[in-house]
Amino acid sequence: MIGVVVWSSGSREKAIIWCEDQATLAYLQGHANFAGPVWPQPGDLVELETRTVGNLRHALQVTMLSEQGCPDLPRLLADTPPAPRPALRVVAQQDRPQADAPAVPPRPATLSPVLARLGAAR
């Protein structure tokens, strides 16, 4: 899978990676899971495998594809305003059926005489 490093700390050997499957962010910890001489930095494009343990998605077998593909990524993410809330409004409302209301509505009164005549014609 391909991913982009969105946060990194070389001194702590930790990084957070956004993955192309757009699922949960992947957490990289330690050189044992990274094959490269220089610790990845924000904006680097990487290839990785993932494994989820509990509620944490771990990045494994991380290799560098392209260094500094987008070095301004952390600033761009921080500066991006939140998406505007959609301006939705209720245009119609249906009454909810009562809990004790029958599941099938009763037949209209005009239908009963027709059914009665059909039954009498047999």
Side-chain angles (χ1 to χ4, degrees), residues 5-17 26-46 59-60 62-64 66-68:
V5 177
V6 294
W7 177 86
S8 177
S9 172
S11 62
R12 295 191 287 178
E13 293 185 356
K14 296 180 181 181
I16 297 174
I17 303 169
Y27 179 66
L28 171 62
Q29 183 173 8
H31 273 293
N33 295 309
F34 177 67
V38 179
W39 191 255
Q41 296 299 308
D44 289 349
L45 190 63
V46 295
L60 308 169
V62 179
T63 58
M64 190 75 69
S66 174
E67 289 185 39
Q68 296 300 301

Side-chain angles (χ1 to χ4, degrees), residues 61-81:
Q61 301 174 5
V62 179
T63 58
M64 190 75 69
L65 291 178
S66 174
E67 289 185 39
Q68 296 300 301
C70 185
D72 296 330
L73 183 62
R75 183 187 54 77
L76 292 170
L77 291 172
D79 292 347
T80 302

